[in-house]
Amino acid sequence: MSGDDPYGLNLQMKPIRKAIIPAAGLGTRFLPATKSIPKEMLPIIDRPSILFNVEEAVRAGIEDIIIIAGRGKESIENFFDRSYELEDFLSKAGKTDLLERIKHVRNLANIISIRQKEALGLGHAVLTGRPVVGDEPFAVLLGDEIMIGKPGVTDTLSKSFAKTGLSSVAIMNVPKEDVVKYGIVAVEEDSDSDSFKILDVIEKPSVEKAPSTWALPGRYVFSASIFKELSRLSPGKNGEIQLTDAMVKLAKTEGLLGITFKDLRYDTGDKFGYVQANVELALSHPELGAKMRAYIKDLAGRL
Ligand code: UTP
């Protein structure tokens, strides 16, 4: 029993309080829009996609959110900051509903922004958050994937970490031809469970080389050891510091779990996924739902 841990508790089991949202990629799939707007600020109906990520983290009990930003970082910072002028205007105009929605955004969490000076890869983006995270376990939510579920995938991963003390990442089954788009994991098969021991991780393998169809959709909870592994890496696939390379090391040293989930997921960094998210969320939107349903029925009849 260590002096720091008088009750024999595993200190690694403290709840996850910090999350990193990497949002410094170049967003080439969304050019020209992303020339001057970060793709995470593109709206899903009337909410920037990054707001979905921040709310998911907050539902998992996370208080400090570290946004790894590149160009256009000000628009993300400003979005989560107080806008005196706007709040004053809405208040004087008696638009209390809108005012409450604006206040909700700025009160969600402590938003800390760090600039990744060069887009050297997702692993490098995560490592950029190290000075703020320190030696605590933490979550990572990719800014271009949104997950819809309550409380959400990050909460599930956080609970898995609290229960097992092991880094836990979301995994999902994808069609064989799609393995080339994801990090793919090899798992110890256990068909009765929704939690798998990860044996290996391969970044965007060819269909022939993929060890399975279990893909990483962009939600992770890591012990701080991932920073040590990331700091030792040289550039991997496409000359980038790959998060998946550090995960291989973590799987072999401390152990790593793959956790399945049932939440809806949209790849909003991809044009089709982005349109899909807008259409599907409009269908369940309180103002737009009925109108959208009627429109889609009419449209289907005309196709
Ligand atoms: P992607 O490869 O999907 O993002 O990275 P990208 O490069 O912005 O997109 P495309 O392919 O050119 O359209 C996954 C996540 O990692 C972040 C991205 O912002 C995205 O959320 N990322 C990637 C960084 O923060 N820094 C990097 O150096 C690379």
Side-chain angles (χ1 to χ4, degrees):
M1 206 183 291
S2 93
D4 292 328
D5 187 12
Y7 301 107
L9 299 171
N10 180 347
L11 289 180
Q12 280 284 33
M13 299 219 181
K14 59 193 164 189
I16 308 297
R17 298 185 304 132
K18 294 182 179 171
I20 293 180
I21 301 185
L26 297 177
T28 53
R29 285 170 292 170
F30 262 97
L31 283 169
T34 45
K35 189 171 168 228
S36 58
I37 307 169
K39 67 178 164 184
E40 296 76 12
M41 285 303 291
L42 296 176
I44 309 296
I45 308 181
D46 52 5
R47 293 148 47 87
S49 65
I50 197 165
L51 179 55
F52 289 84
N53 303 133
V54 169
E55 286 180 336
E56 181 188 327
V58 169
R59 285 199 302 273
I62 288 169
E63 295 156 9
D64 297 334
I65 298 186
I66 300 124
I67 294 179
I68 310 298
R71 78 278 170 251
K73 126 188 149 145
E74 300 78 14
S75 60
I76 301 181
E77 272 181 3
N78 291 343
F79 179 71
F80 290 103
D81 196 3
R82 181 177 200 148
S83 168
Y84 285 98
E85 208 182 355
L86 182 61
E87 289 188 18
D88 184 54
F89 169 78
L90 293 174
S91 166
K92 286 186 178 140
K95 301 196 176 202
T96 39
D97 276 10
L98 272 178
L99 182 61
E100 287 318 307
R101 288 181 72 190
I102 298 292
K103 284 187 177 167
H104 160 78
V105 171
R106 73 161 152 84
N107 288 329
L108 270 172
N110 304 316
I111 306 288
I112 300 141
S113 174
I114 304 189
R115 187 167 280 222
Q116 185 191 17
K117 295 193 181 99
E118 247 186 296
L120 297 178
L122 176 58
H124 181 261
V126 171
L127 191 56
T128 305
R130 185 182 201 172
V132 182
V133 173
D135 63 357
E136 290 188 32
F138 64 101
V140 177
L141 296 86
L142 291 199
D144 56 0
E145 306 267 347
I146 63 170
M147 308 271 195
I148 310 289
K150 290 226 167 111
V153 179
T154 299
D155 184 71
T156 307
L157 300 180
S158 173
K159 287 188 173 129
S160 164
F161 184 89
K163 193 169 140 204
T164 63
L166 294 178
S167 297
S168 301
V169 302
I171 55 171
M172 64 176 190
N173 240 320
V174 295
K176 210 168 176 175
E177 62 276 17
D178 284 354
V179 292
V180 294
K181 297 197 267 179
Y182 295 94
I184 299 293
V185 298
V187 296
E188 202 171 79
E189 287 295 343
D190 172 2
S191 55
D192 292 337
S193 166
D194 50 11
S195 159
F196 297 85
K197 185 175 173 204
I198 293 180
L199 305 172
D200 201 4
V201 192
I202 304 181
E203 181 64 23
K204 301 190 173 101
S206 62
V207 171
E208 299 72 44
K209 294 216 169 117
S212 76
T213 50
W214 285 115
L216 298 166
R219 292 294 183 273
Y220 319 80
V221 163
F222 290 121
S223 77
S225 311
I226 195 84
F227 289 135
K228 192 177 65 199
E229 303 300 351
L230 281 168
S231 65
R232 289 177 178 160
L233 289 179
S234 340
K237 193 155 192 160
N238 304 329
E240 296 184 342
I241 303 286
Q242 295 288 354
L243 182 60
T244 41
D245 289 343
M247 288 167 65
V248 174
K249 306 272 186 208
L250 202 64
K252 298 203 163 128
T253 51
E254 290 185 359
L256 179 65
L257 295 177
I259 312 288
T260 61
F261 61 94
K262 294 199 170 66
D263 302 42
L264 290 172
R265 167 199 170 263
Y266 302 100
D267 178 2
T268 49
D270 167 78
K271 283 193 268 271
F272 184 71
Y274 177 77
V275 173
Q276 225 179 356
N278 270 289
V279 170
E280 289 193 23
L281 295 187
L283 284 168
S284 55
H285 191 280
E287 273 168 49
L288 305 180
K291 219 169 167 179
M292 192 69 187
R293 201 164 295 278
Y295 167 66
I296 287 182
K297 276 190 189 148
D298 175 60
L299 183 66
R302 286 188 275 134
L303 291 177

